């Protein structure tokens, strides 16, 4: 396979532990914000890429030149990615763009960095419109922040609060359990019992007795 330059071939020529590629920002939108980082825990599963929230229909661009190796709505036989495009780049890198609304390239197409490959959407298993971007180096997932500059500067506060637990070299491992912050105003089960359980009934009963006491005294006075 050759790149858009025609004279180069795709090969893992970079050192395995020192990736050199730098990618272009994949979206044409000033509203695009990082909503989830690589490695952020979702239940017991670590996030395998970076999510960038953006309106449906935002042009999605190739982060680097290469050859399209997948353009489908059933990537690896699974519908979770929705409409997806995968590009193989130089030096062992690969990029995946998921939840697209439309795809503008097909398998075998050669693309250049910054070329439109489709439009963002919310297809597949998605809670809202965004681009899910994954990065691979020599077949293994790697943190896109190693290739894309300015991810933290363009991140939502919620994404920063639930930041990734990955090793310093960007490998896909968890280092500590993520504990979701407790929501304000919610009490524990024991607290609910104290408010609305037996304790609550007891206080209601006492109030009832106090209200009845004067009536009993009044009746005895008449007799």
């Amino acid at each position: 396979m050759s790149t858009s330059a025609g004279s180069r071939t795709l090969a893992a020529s970079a050192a395995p532990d020192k990736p050199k590629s730098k990618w272009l920002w994949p979206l044409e939108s000033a509203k695009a914000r990082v909503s989830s980082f690589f490695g952020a825990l979702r239940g017991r599963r670590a996030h395998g890429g970076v999510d960038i929230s953006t309106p449906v229909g935002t042009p999605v661009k190739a982060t680097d030149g290469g050859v399209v190796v997948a353009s489908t709505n059933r990537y690896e036989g699974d519908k979770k990615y929705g409409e997806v495009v995968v590009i193989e780049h130089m030096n062992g890198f690969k990029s995946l763009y998921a939840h697209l609304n439309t795809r503008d390239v097909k398998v075998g197409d050669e693309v250049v960095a910054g070329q439109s490959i489709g439009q963002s959407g919310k297809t597949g298993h998605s809670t809202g419109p965004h681009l899910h971007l994954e990065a691979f180096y020599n077949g293994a997932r790697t943190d896109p922040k190693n290739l894309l500059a300015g991810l933290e500067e363009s991140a939502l506060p919620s994404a920063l609060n639930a930041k990734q637990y990955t090793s310093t070299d960007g490998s896909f491992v968890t280092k500590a359990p993520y504990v979701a912050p407790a929501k304000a105003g919610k009490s524990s089960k024991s607290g609910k019992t104290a408010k609305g359980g037996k304790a609550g009934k007891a206080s209601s009963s006492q109030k009832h007795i106090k209200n009845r006491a004067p009536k009993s005294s009044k009746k005895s006075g008449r007799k």
Side-chain angles (χ1 to χ4, degrees), residues 41-130:
L41 295 186
R42 296 179 172 183
R44 296 182 179 179
R45 181 175 59 86
H47 193 210
V50 59
D51 286 347
I52 308 173
S53 63
T54 189
V56 172
T58 302
V60 176
K61 303 181 295 183
T63 56
D64 199 358
V67 176
V68 177
V69 294
S71 180
T72 178
N73 61 2
R74 289 186 70 92
Y75 182 62
E76 296 183 338
D78 199 331
K79 293 182 179 180
K80 68 179 182 180
Y81 283 105
E83 302 290 342
V84 63
V85 169
V86 180
I87 301 173
E88 187 174 343
H89 308 290
M90 290 288 291
N91 303 328
F93 289 95
K94 189 164 63 175
S95 57
L96 178 149
Y97 314 77
H99 306 309
L100 302 177
N101 191 46
T102 61
R103 292 177 279 115
D104 298 338
V105 292
K106 62 184 185 299
V107 173
D109 285 352
E110 296 181 357
V111 298
V112 297
Q115 178 178 332
S116 176
I117 60 172
Q119 295 184 340
S120 65
K122 54 180 180 179
T123 57
H125 298 176
S126 172
T127 57
H130 72 281

Side-chain angles (χ1 to χ4, degrees), residues 215-223:
K215 292 182 180 179
S216 299
S217 301
K218 194 171 182 182
K219 285 182 180 180
S220 60
R222 285 179 182 176
K223 288 181 180 180

Side-chain angles (χ1 to χ4, degrees), residues 93-187:
F93 289 95
K94 189 164 63 175
S95 57
L96 178 149
Y97 314 77
H99 306 309
L100 302 177
N101 191 46
T102 61
R103 292 177 279 115
D104 298 338
V105 292
K106 62 184 185 299
V107 173
D109 285 352
E110 296 181 357
V111 298
V112 297
Q115 178 178 332
S116 176
I117 60 172
Q119 295 184 340
S120 65
K122 54 180 180 179
T123 57
H125 298 176
S126 172
T127 57
H130 72 281
L131 171 67
H132 173 80
L133 176 69
E134 292 188 11
F136 298 84
Y137 181 63
N138 288 341
R141 281 188 176 93
T142 186
D143 193 337
K145 80 173 183 180
N146 297 327
L147 304 166
L148 286 171
L151 285 184
E152 293 187 356
E153 290 78 0
S154 62
L156 295 169
S158 57
L160 292 170
N161 290 339
K163 204 164 183 307
Q164 67 271 28
Y165 294 101
T166 54
S167 62
T168 54
D169 64 358
S171 58
F172 191 62
V173 295
T174 57
K175 294 174 66 177
Y178 172 68
V179 179
K183 293 183 179 179
K186 275 197 170 185
S187 56

